[in-house]
Every structure is written in C-alpha cells, then in structure tokens.
Amino acid sequence: MLHNSIYLPYERQKRSFKKLISSLFGLAGIYWLVIYGLGWAGIASVEDVRILRSGQSIIYFVLLTLWGVEYLREVKRLTLVIETSNSMAKQPELVTSADLPDYVLKFSVLKGTLSNLRTMIFPTINILGLALCTVFIALQYSRAVLLLVHR
C-alpha cells in the first residue's frame, strides 16, 4: 500500500523491531516454563518460585508499552498517508516520502537522523526499552541459574 520511498526504509526498521520484541517476548515466556519446571521437578520450593516470578511483570510492562506505542504510531502513519492522499487527490500508494510533512520523524522506529534530533526520540526510547528488557531477562535467568547452583 505504501510507495517504495516510504515502504523500503520503514519496513526494514519495522521488521527489525518486530523480530527483537518478539524474541524478547519469547525469552520472557520461556522463563515461565523454567520457573514452573523447577517447581514441578521439586528443585525449587514454593518460596523459590515466588522469588523467581518476581521481576517478570516489569518485563511485560515495558515490552507491552513499547509494542503498544509503536502500534499507535503505526495507525498515525497510515492515517497520515491516507489524509495526504485525499488532500492531493491521488491513490495512497502514490504518496511519496517527499509528500509527507515530517516523514522521517513519523516513520522512524529504530533509526532517526542526527540532523534532526526530534527523529531520535522514539528510536532511542525503543532501543533503550529493548536493551532494558534484555538486561531484565538476563537477570531473571541468572536467578534461576543461581538457584540451581546453590541446590
């Protein structure tokens, strides 16, 4: 639906973001199997399972916030393209990046431009959020490993 001048640079960022956030959701989800597997195997007590579960909520909070904000931005992007196509009386797929005001600002997911620092706001938030979740997930897995080592 989008013109190549919009679609190609944006789609790469969008695809990368989707892969990263999906991977982190997957790792966070697998951790639940680890937690309850340790409990069902009798390696972790009820208290240990409770401790291992603590910290999972913040991971999902950050991931869902990142995903939700990006979803809302996606809706705004498509609305911008449709409104621009209506005002220019041409098909949405014929609207180019040159036709859109603040194109780079609105279509930046993981990468902005240093010449316009406003384009760096959401990519920076996305990257920091993904990095933060990566650290939180690593800490969660390290808790499970430490539990196993101390048993």
Side-chain angles (χ1 to χ4, degrees):
M1 174 179 170
L2 298 174
H3 188 270
N4 279 342
S5 66
I6 298 171
Y7 178 79
L8 294 176
Y10 167 64
E11 184 61 24
R12 279 186 233 121
Q13 291 184 62
K14 182 181 166 185
R15 191 175 339 112
S16 296
F17 179 78
K18 183 180 177 183
K19 285 180 184 178
L20 290 168
I21 205 157
S22 295
S23 297
L24 291 174
F25 266 117
L27 287 170
I30 290 169
Y31 183 72
W32 287 103
L33 299 174
V34 171
I35 293 171
Y36 290 111
L38 291 172
W40 291 327
I43 298 170
S45 67
V46 173
E47 180 63 19
D48 290 335
V49 169
R50 188 191 65 73
I51 291 169
L52 291 174
R53 280 191 342 225
S54 69
Q56 282 294 96
S57 298
I58 189 70
I59 293 168
Y60 287 107
F61 175 76
V62 173
L63 289 174
L64 287 169
T65 300
L66 291 173
W67 177 77
V69 168
E70 200 51 44
Y71 175 79
L72 291 175
R73 291 184 73 220
E74 175 79 7
V75 170
K76 287 181 181 180
R77 290 177 193 118
L78 294 177
T79 301
L80 176 66
V81 170
I82 290 169
E83 287 174 351
T84 302
S85 76
N86 289 339
S87 70
M88 298 178 81
K90 61 182 179 179
Q91 295 295 320
E93 60 269 10
L94 299 177
V95 174
T96 67
S97 60
D99 298 329
L100 299 174
D102 294 330
Y103 160 74
V104 178
L105 176 65
K106 303 229 185 327
F107 284 80
S108 56
V109 179
L110 292 173
K111 178 177 117 177
T113 59
L114 290 175
S115 61
N116 184 351
L117 292 180
R118 286 181 50 212
T119 66
M120 298 298 292
I121 294 170
F122 280 104
T124 302
I125 290 169
N126 286 340
I127 291 168
L128 288 175
L130 292 169
L132 184 66
C133 282
T134 302
V135 169
F136 286 160
I137 290 169
L139 288 172
Q140 291 294 87
Y141 277 99
S142 67
R143 280 186 188 172
V145 168
L146 288 173
L147 177 76
L148 289 172
V149 169
H150 287 104
R151 289 284 168 189

